[in-house]
Amino acid sequence: MRAYTRPILVSGLGQEGESCQALEPIPLRSGAGGLTYTERWLQELLQRNPALLPVEQIEPALAALVPVCMELPLSCGYADNLFMTPEGGIVLVEAKLWRNPEARREVVGQVLDYAKDLASLQYGGLEAAVRRARSEPGCSLFQLVRGPDAAPESEAPFIDAVTRNLRLGRALLIVAGDGVQQSAEQLAEFLQRHVSLHFTFALVEVSLWRVPQTDQVFVQPKVVARTVQIERAVVRMEAGVAASPPEVTPALANSRPQTLSTDEFYDHLAKVDPQLPDRLKRLLGELEERYGVYPDVQRRLSLKWRSPTGREFMLGGVDREGRFVADVANDAANAIGRLDLSHAYQRLIANGLPGGSVRETPKPIGWRAVVDGKDIPISLMLDHQANWKAAINVYLDELEEFFKETESA
């Protein structure tokens, strides 16, 4: 059962006059009778305060939202809210009430149609739609998102990123409202309508509470459901003609979910070296199959392993510029009192690379493997991946032995 409990406002915490006051629930209404808290009110609230959207829980790469416009005109209707990120990420939000199952199906289907229309636009088409929504014929989408003082040389990369996201149908779609409910089966049915697009879809419930006898409103967002991987349509083509109907191929059971944050990370990595994403993905697949090591991608890729006790250990990180960061392995080892194990891991990494060494900082938790005194290019790690795998194998064996000894003690 999923339900919000009534929030309690505590005043004078820990003081003599401490008091508790229960907040009053506020339902969103359709607007009849002059009520204030309507869909339009929520739409405007989110546009003014994008931080109310829990995007960091859905797609961390898209967390830096910039409000662009409301009522974005598209072929099938008007999308409530358009947000973008300085890197060219796209977020569409629909603020809706949930009156009955029919309304829920209608709203979700409508949002997916918006995604289809969005994917049909070029950069100029999106900019023109934004100008119409804002009633500003001469406004620049680049300057709206990046600010009037943005460096002119950053405009071309921004346009390229937006164009690529539009072409791929890459966007975050959010339905936000009061009393959001939707079963996974219903969501899957809707998502199959647009299997050629690569979006993340999320349902966000926005619960409203009022401080009694004041105009203060407590807004409580909650992610109810989200997709992390859209199944792809595979069509066999013969002489330019589809020879068989689209088939939806489910992802492998042991494959990691693909997110927009992952896509964005690999896009940046490809700018360093177009071959890096595929090379790194192949290695990650081997590490997961052999050792249970898995990637966690947010602003950077973190390589993780989960111990028998459930504790996560970092084995390194890769940033968007293609640099391998080794010292992140020290934190979890230090937490169990075995910093010596991660230090030994750092030395094994360094010994397996030409010019490798361990930079020993005054604080032992900062020790890291480097090459010629600098952070290691991930391309070099991939060139010598057999040595890296051997280092990982030794480190994980030692950690597993440690946990066995701990259990038997």
Side-chain angles (χ1 to χ4, degrees):
M1 180 178 179
R2 175 185 56 81
Y4 288 103
T5 58
R6 179 174 301 204
I8 306 296
L9 179 65
V10 180
S11 302
L13 185 64
Q15 301 177 15
E16 184 176 346
E18 178 179 302
S19 64
C20 296
Q21 186 177 31
L23 304 188
E24 300 173 345
I26 305 173
L28 284 171
R29 302 295 186 188
S30 62
L35 295 171
T36 303
Y37 303 104
T38 64
E39 287 179 354
R40 180 70 181 189
W41 176 86
L42 178 60
Q43 179 186 0
E44 294 175 348
L45 177 69
L46 295 175
Q47 193 72 13
R48 293 192 304 268
N49 305 279
L52 288 174
L53 294 166
V55 174
E56 70 283 350
Q57 298 178 28
I58 306 167
E59 286 289 355
L62 302 179
L65 293 185
V66 177
V68 176
C69 69
M70 297 195 305
E71 303 297 334
L72 178 73
L74 296 167
S75 297
C76 66
Y78 293 82
D80 281 354
N81 301 74
L82 172 65
F83 301 90
M84 297 185 69
T85 70
E87 292 78 24
I90 301 171
V91 178
L92 280 182
V93 178
E94 194 72 5
K96 291 295 181 185
L97 302 181
W98 302 89
R99 293 176 292 274
N100 52 57
E102 290 71 25
R104 292 197 290 271
R105 288 193 288 270
E106 179 182 341
V107 170
V108 175
Q110 182 182 39
V111 172
L112 298 183
D113 285 339
Y114 289 156
K116 173 180 62 68
D117 287 351
L118 193 66
S120 69
L121 296 177
Q122 301 290 327
Y123 180 86
L126 176 60
E127 186 173 56
V130 169
R131 288 171 175 172
R132 291 197 298 274
R134 295 177 61 92
S135 298
E136 298 176 11
C139 74
S140 161
L141 180 59
F142 168 69
Q143 290 186 342
L144 281 175
V145 177
R146 297 294 295 267
D149 299 325
E153 59 269 21
S154 63
E155 183 170 10
F158 175 79
I159 292 175
D160 289 344
V162 175
T163 300
R164 182 172 60 253
N165 289 336
L166 291 172
R167 184 181 70 252
L168 297 174
R170 185 186 294 172
L172 170 58
L173 312 177
I174 297 176
V175 176
D178 187 26
V180 172
Q181 297 179 16
Q182 189 74 22
S183 71
E185 292 79 8
Q186 289 173 318
L187 279 179
E189 175 189 344
F190 288 123
L191 295 176
Q192 300 303 332
R193 293 174 54 183
H194 301 304
V195 290
S196 62
L197 305 182
H198 191 182
F199 54 79
T200 294
F201 182 89
L203 297 175
V204 174
E205 184 169 3
V206 181
S207 180
L208 304 176
W209 306 83
R210 180 170 47 210
V211 180
Q213 301 178 346
T214 75
D215 59 356
Q216 293 180 293
V217 176
F218 174 76
V219 182
Q220 185 178 27
K222 179 180 181 180
V223 179
V224 175
R226 66 178 288 251
T227 64
V228 289
Q229 187 167 24
I230 302 303
E231 296 172 320
R232 297 299 181 151
V234 179
V235 183
R236 180 166 55 87
M237 304 294 291
E238 293 180 0
V241 179
S244 59
E247 296 179 358
V248 176
T249 305
L252 297 176
N254 63 347
S255 62
R256 288 271 155 189
Q258 190 81 359
T259 67
L260 300 185
S261 299
T262 304
D263 288 340
E264 185 170 320
F265 170 80
Y266 283 119
D267 282 348
H268 280 272
L269 206 60
K271 294 175 184 177
V272 179
D273 180 347
Q275 296 182 354
L276 274 181
D278 286 341
R279 295 183 67 197
L280 181 56
K281 288 176 184 179
R282 283 195 295 271
L283 174 63
L284 294 176
E286 293 178 23
L287 293 178
E288 184 162 12
E289 183 176 350
R290 184 178 300 181
Y291 304 113
V293 172
Y294 58 93
D296 178 16
V297 181
Q298 297 188 24
R299 295 292 294 181
R300 71 177 180 189
L301 184 149
S302 299
L303 203 56
K304 296 183 175 181
W305 174 77
R306 192 177 299 276
S307 74
T309 64
R311 183 187 291 271
E312 280 189 337
F313 285 80
M314 296 267 283
L315 303 180
V318 183
D319 65 22
R320 295 182 174 195
E321 285 68 46
R323 295 183 295 255
F324 177 75
V325 183
D327 61 347
V328 294
N330 295 328
D331 292 336
N334 185 57
I336 62 171
R338 294 302 307 268
L339 195 54
D340 59 304
L341 297 183
S342 63
H343 284 177
Y345 173 57
Q346 305 281 350
R347 292 191 186 95
L348 288 173
I349 292 175
N351 292 341
L353 299 170
S357 64
V358 175
R359 181 189 296 165
E360 299 185 3
T361 59
K363 293 184 177 180
I365 200 168
W367 286 22
R368 69 197 305 169
V370 295
V371 167
D372 297 329
K374 299 179 181 179
D375 286 335
I376 307 167
I378 188 60
S379 58
L380 188 63
M381 298 287 290
L382 294 171
D383 290 342
H384 299 272
Q385 60 181 268
N387 295 335
W388 187 16
K389 292 175 188 174
I392 290 174
N393 186 57
V394 171
Y395 184 37
L396 297 186
D397 281 350
E398 291 176 338
L399 286 174
E400 287 181 341
E401 185 63 28
F402 166 79
F403 285 108
K404 287 179 182 177
E405 293 175 356
T406 303
E407 288 179 1
S408 62

